[in-house]
């Protein structure tokens, strides 16, 4: 069976600042990674050195035949001390945006991808009464460099951030899938929603939205009500915030089964990926259907989907299944504008370099990039617009 995707569909790969740039020293996460007795297995360190090697990364994206690149601006670099903005950092990100445009790549720019400046976190983080104003001021500062950018993601996975807020307070390492975490800290969730809406006000005229960690909560037998109650705080409330947005980002990897007493562990016999998540390519189509049903009229952009695996053939297998499911959801009526694979590079996976999501591997000492066969495979699909 051959499946065609619409003309103008965005085909791209994604990354985020902290995971790829290296030496994000003014951020809250850097402080956490480098404190004595840190619970992180690896520190981000130089990451992929993309702060310097971004032209090479963009060249790879273009040469593969992809037409889009998602990356994030790092608030901690742009405003390393409260109220002190770095013109050099802003100019840097302007060059990256222009680098995309010059290569014919549509930039998808995220303003906040998990990390915040350390001063922001020390000043109460999202729970400070000043958080929304602080975020708004940052958005105002970056607005002048966003010329030519059509897609702006305000905050990445606010639902995960709000769930992490509880966990971070306990200083625990998160294991397993996000969807199995305790419910979000509601005050953090509310602050993130307010920050998102404030950012959208500032961004008027640009297409903006936020990107949700879509968890595909499935009900175990007889547990539909429990599943619904589980999904409401963790996912649905964040989708509701997006009801008037220009688009919503869907980020799907796996599913979580909800029983009478909450999330069930991945069954022993299930096939797993390097993150321990269930290998479940249908996650993408299902997440798109779920999102489309709750946000009629809001265009969808798949801002993340991929797999942590050491076997690249498994990446192709997973992605082929995910794209088939995506095509099916679109045939049923979901308005999907593009697919951005997570990730372009094997990058820093929030505490460890072990789970390799990349289409491209990165030598940890020389930073040399090497394309994996999956990169060329996805590039071919992007060029032809067809999945065979
Ligand atoms: C998402 C994050 C992204 C990456 C993938 C695997 O939750 O947005 O940075 O870590 O998961």
């Amino acid at each position: 069976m051959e499946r065609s995707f619409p003309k103008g569909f965005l085909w791209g790969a994604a990354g985020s600042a902290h995971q790829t740039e290296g030496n994000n020293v003014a951020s809250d996460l850097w402080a956490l990674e480098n404190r004595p007795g840190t619970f992180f297995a690896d520190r981000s360190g130089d990451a992929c050195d993309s702060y310097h090697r971004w032209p090479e990364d963009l060249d790879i994206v273009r040469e593969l035949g992809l037409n889009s690149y998602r990356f994030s601006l790092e608030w901690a670099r742009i405003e390393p001390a409260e109220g002190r903005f770095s013109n050099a950092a802003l100019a840097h990100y302007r060059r990256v945006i222009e680098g995309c445009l010059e290569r014919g790549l549509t930039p998808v720019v995220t303003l906040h991808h998990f990390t915040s400046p350390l001063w922001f976190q020390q000043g109460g983080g999202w729970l400070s009464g000043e958080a929304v104003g602080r975020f708004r001021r940052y958005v105002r500062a970056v607005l002048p460099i966003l010329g030519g950018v059509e897609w702006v993601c305000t905050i990445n996975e606010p639902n995960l951030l709000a769930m992490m807020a509880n966990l971070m307070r306990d200083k625990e390492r998160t294991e397993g899938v996000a969807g199995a975490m305790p419910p979000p800290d509601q005050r953090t969730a509310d602050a993130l929603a307010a920050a998102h809406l404030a950012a959208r006000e500032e961004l008027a005229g640009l297409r903006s939205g936020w990107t949700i960690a879509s968890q595909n909560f499935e009900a175990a037998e007889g547990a539909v009500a429990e599943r619904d109650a589980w999904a409401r705080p963790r996912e649905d409330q964040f989708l509701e915030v997006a009801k008037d947005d220009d688009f919503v980002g869907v980020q799907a990897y796996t599913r979580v089964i909800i029983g009478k007493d909450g999330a069930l562990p991945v069954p022993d016999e299930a096939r797993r990926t390097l993150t321990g998540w269930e290998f479940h390519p249908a996650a993408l189509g299902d997440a798109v259907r779920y999102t489309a049903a709750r946000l009629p009229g809001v265009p969808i952009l798949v801002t993340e989907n991929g797999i942590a695996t050491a076997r690249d053939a498994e990446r192709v297998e997973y992605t082929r299944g995910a794209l088939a499911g995506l095509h099916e959801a679109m045939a049923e009526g979901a308005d999907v504008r593009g697919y951005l694979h997570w990730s372009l590079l094997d990058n820093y996976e929030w505490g460890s370099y072990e789970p390799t999501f990349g289409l491209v591997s990165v030598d940890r000492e020389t930073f040399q990039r090497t394309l994996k066969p999956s990169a060329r495979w996805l590039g071919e699909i992007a060029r032809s617009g067809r999945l065979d």
Side-chain angles (χ1 to χ4, degrees), residues 157 159 212-218 235-236 239 248-256 280-295 298-305 318 321-322 325-330 332 334-336 339:
E157 296 191 346
N159 50 337
I212 308 296
S214 309
Q215 301 291 329
N216 290 300
F217 297 118
E218 290 182 21
E235 189 163 332
D236 300 351
L239 289 173
V248 61
V250 165
Q251 316 203 147
Y253 294 89
T254 189
R255 65 174 166 183
V256 181
H280 189 63
L284 181 58
D286 289 347
V288 163
R289 276 187 201 93
Y290 189 89
T291 305
R294 274 151 195 83
L295 291 175
V298 180
I300 290 173
L301 186 61
V302 176
T303 37
E304 286 184 23
N305 168 254
Y318 176 89
L326 175 64
H327 189 272
E328 214 175 277
M330 290 169 70
E332 290 164 20
D335 176 9
V336 182
Y339 172 86

Side-chain angles (χ1 to χ4, degrees), residues 19 113-114 156-157 160 251 253 304 342 349-350 357:
Q19 292 174 276
H113 194 122
F114 288 166
N156 182 69
E157 296 191 346
L160 188 68
Q251 316 203 147
Y253 294 89
E304 286 184 23
W342 185 272
E349 188 51 39
W350 311 112
F357 278 93

Side-chain angles (χ1 to χ4, degrees), residues 24 41 70 84 87 101 104 128 132 163 181 272 281 330 349:
N24 184 18
R70 175 177 180 230
R84 305 277 170 188
N87 288 324
L101 299 173
S128 157
V132 176
M163 289 190 263
M181 285 186 191
R272 289 158 189 264
M330 290 169 70
E349 188 51 39

